[in-house]
Amino acid sequence: MKNITKLMITTFCVLFSNYVLTQNSCNETLSLFSENVKTQRYEEAKPQLAFLRKNCAALNYAVYAYGEILLNHEITISSSKKAIATSLIELYKERILHFPKKTPKGKFLPKIASLMIMHDIGTTKEQYLLFNEALQTDEIHFKNPKGLYQYFELLYKLHQSGELNISVEKLMEKYETIREKLLILQKKSAKNKAAINTFLSNMDILIEKVATCKTLIPIYEKKFNTMKNDVEWIRKVANILDQKSCEDELFFFKLITEIDELEPTAQTKLYLYKVHQQQNNTLQANKYLKEYVVLETDNLKITEVLHSAGNEAVAKGQKSKARSYYEQALNASPTAGAVYLSLARLYASSANECGSDEFTKRAIYWKAAESARKAMNIDFNVKKEANRLLETYTQSAPSKIDIFNKGYKGGEKITFDCWFGGFVTVPKL
């Protein structure tokens, strides 16, 4: 019994001694290894990395941090890039295993998948599953723009091959998810802006081949009844259909109407106004236009919309209505010279409609000239055109001789019994 106890103690001492020696050796090797990598003595560092990975795998995550630097250098100079890339992939996997808290999957699984793509390692499915695991388990750390694009590209390839039965619907859902992430990353980093623009453009090219109004709308119509109270879902679908130029489809109109019921915005009001305007639903169109003006906070946008509404009214011969829109537009942006020019043309177009004789019919040109003069004085961008119109209207209006012959001295008011419903003041001689 004493002999057995003595043997056990001796064995423990030997093992403990070996453990201490190994630990000391590991620490010393790690110290030398890190210093060699820092000073770019890579040839000396290579056998040290092999020793550390074999004997001290869980010693310190610095083994893997410095190991990554070393192996990335080796890939750049080696003719056997695939073999080095495979070793780097294994290094990443070991780091995930031994130091999971310092190795977020959202960052390192995409690194592995990208290496596999670059060096033709594994199958499309295997590469995709790594990206997919990263997104599913650690989305917050999946921030690499190139990796996000590669993920979608692989998904598209698998959809095309039918290998994983990836539907158009799933492809579109991933497209929107990845697109949103890329846009967020683009806002945060000017450095990657150009690259992200390229990725977004390439994604659009891929999705253009499979996603059309015809294929997408039936997919979303099936879900609509169960999701119609989920405004975020509706917005997402509406955005997808808008990107695909499906805004003329009845289902898109249905989506925007639902959004307008749940969370109305200036954009929903504007869209609904335009649709009803095109359908000649005047009462509904006017209702949505008024609501748009109330909700819109950008006066320049309000002016643009009301100016356009005025132009449409002119085209329909609704001159009084057109003037009302122009005046509302000017209330929003008093220095909008283009609107004053439209108002000037509107007055000038009525020379033969308003007035009882040749003199009073031409008198409305004074009103047109007044609007053209305002445009010229307040908006440099339209000054040339405003000056041209001012000269034209001034020449078309009654001359000083005409005023004298009519018996006017200036300052008299000429009223009009037409759509204009106002008056002009005779210029003083």
Side-chain angles (χ1 to χ4, degrees), residues 332-351:
S333 300
T335 59
V339 182
Y340 273 115
L341 291 186
S342 294
L343 197 56
R345 294 187 184 97
L346 179 64
Y347 292 138
S349 70
S350 302

Side-chain angles (χ1 to χ4, degrees), residues 169-183:
E169 182 178 5
K170 183 175 180 180
L171 188 66
M172 284 305 305
E173 287 175 353
K174 292 293 185 183
Y175 165 80
E176 192 62 25
T177 298
I178 294 171
R179 186 174 181 276
E180 287 175 6
K181 288 180 74 67
L182 286 172
L183 289 172

Side-chain angles (χ1 to χ4, degrees), residues 74-339:
E74 287 297 300
I75 289 176
T76 62
I77 64 171
S78 175
S79 58
S80 304
K81 296 183 185 298
K82 186 171 183 177
I84 306 298
T86 300
S87 183
L88 180 54
I89 288 169
E90 291 304 315
L91 184 84
Y92 287 146
K93 290 179 179 179
E94 291 167 16
R95 175 169 172 167
I96 292 171
L97 175 65
H98 296 296
F99 298 96
K101 292 183 179 180
K102 292 183 179 291
T103 315
K105 286 188 174 183
K107 181 178 180 180
F108 281 86
L109 290 181
K111 283 188 175 186
I112 293 173
S114 292
L115 277 170
M116 292 173 70
I117 293 171
M118 186 182 299
H119 299 284
D120 194 23
I121 300 170
T123 64
T124 300
K125 179 181 176 181
E126 289 169 339
Q127 295 160 3
Y128 163 76
L129 290 175
L130 285 167
F131 281 125
N132 195 56
E133 184 182 351
L135 193 68
Q136 296 297 325
T137 62
D138 188 19
E139 182 178 357
I140 193 172
H141 287 109
F142 195 169
K143 299 178 181 179
N144 183 279
K146 183 178 179 181
L148 287 165
Y149 170 71
Q150 288 176 321
Y151 174 41
F152 180 77
E153 188 177 37
L154 291 172
L155 185 71
Y156 173 80
K157 288 179 179 178
L158 290 169
H159 164 76
Q160 291 292 83
S161 69
E163 186 174 353
L164 293 179
N165 296 318
I166 295 170
S167 64
V168 173
E169 182 178 5
K170 183 175 180 180
L171 188 66
M172 284 305 305
E173 287 175 353
K174 292 293 185 183
Y175 165 80
E176 192 62 25
T177 298
I178 294 171
R179 186 174 181 276
E180 287 175 6
K181 288 180 74 67
L182 286 172
L183 289 172
I184 290 170
L185 290 172
Q186 189 179 53
K187 289 179 181 179
K188 291 181 178 180
S189 173
K191 179 182 177 181
N192 292 319
K193 189 172 183 179
I196 291 175
N197 276 336
T198 300
F199 296 145
L200 288 168
S201 177
N202 289 344
M203 283 177 62
D204 289 341
I205 292 170
L206 292 177
I207 209 69
E208 188 73 26
K209 298 176 181 178
V210 294
T212 64
C213 299
K214 185 177 180 180
T215 59
L216 293 175
I217 288 176
I219 291 171
Y220 296 126
E221 279 183 322
K222 291 178 184 178
K223 289 188 174 183
F224 181 75
N225 286 335
T226 57
M227 301 294 289
K228 65 180 182 179
N229 292 321
D230 187 339
V231 70
E232 290 304 316
W233 181 84
I234 298 175
R235 286 187 192 281
K236 184 176 180 179
V237 173
N239 184 55
I240 292 171
L241 295 181
D242 182 53
Q243 292 291 322
K244 301 301 299 179
S245 300
C246 304
E247 61 272 10
D248 292 332
E249 299 289 339
L250 182 60
F251 182 64
F252 186 80
F253 173 75
K254 189 175 182 179
L255 290 172
I256 302 301
T257 303
E258 198 66 33
I259 294 173
D260 190 66
E261 288 291 326
L262 296 171
E263 290 184 11
T265 65
Q267 287 69 35
T268 61
K269 299 298 183 185
L270 181 59
Y271 170 80
L272 292 171
Y273 155 69
K274 289 181 177 179
V275 171
H276 286 289
Q277 182 78 350
Q278 290 171 357
Q279 296 174 351
N280 293 317
N281 298 330
T282 305
L283 290 177
Q284 284 293 90
N286 289 341
K287 168 183 174 292
Y288 285 116
L289 180 57
K290 289 177 182 177
E291 291 172 352
Y292 163 76
V293 172
V294 171
L295 290 175
E296 181 59 77
T297 58
D298 188 328
N299 284 339
L300 291 178
K301 289 182 179 180
I302 292 174
T303 298
E304 182 181 351
V305 170
L306 290 173
H307 189 191
S308 177
N311 292 340
E312 289 179 13
V314 169
K316 294 178 180 179
Q318 301 168 336
K319 294 188 175 182
S320 181
K321 188 175 184 179
R323 180 179 64 174
S324 175
Y325 284 137
Y326 291 150
E327 289 176 345
Q328 291 177 61
L330 289 169
N331 285 335
S333 300
T335 59
V339 182

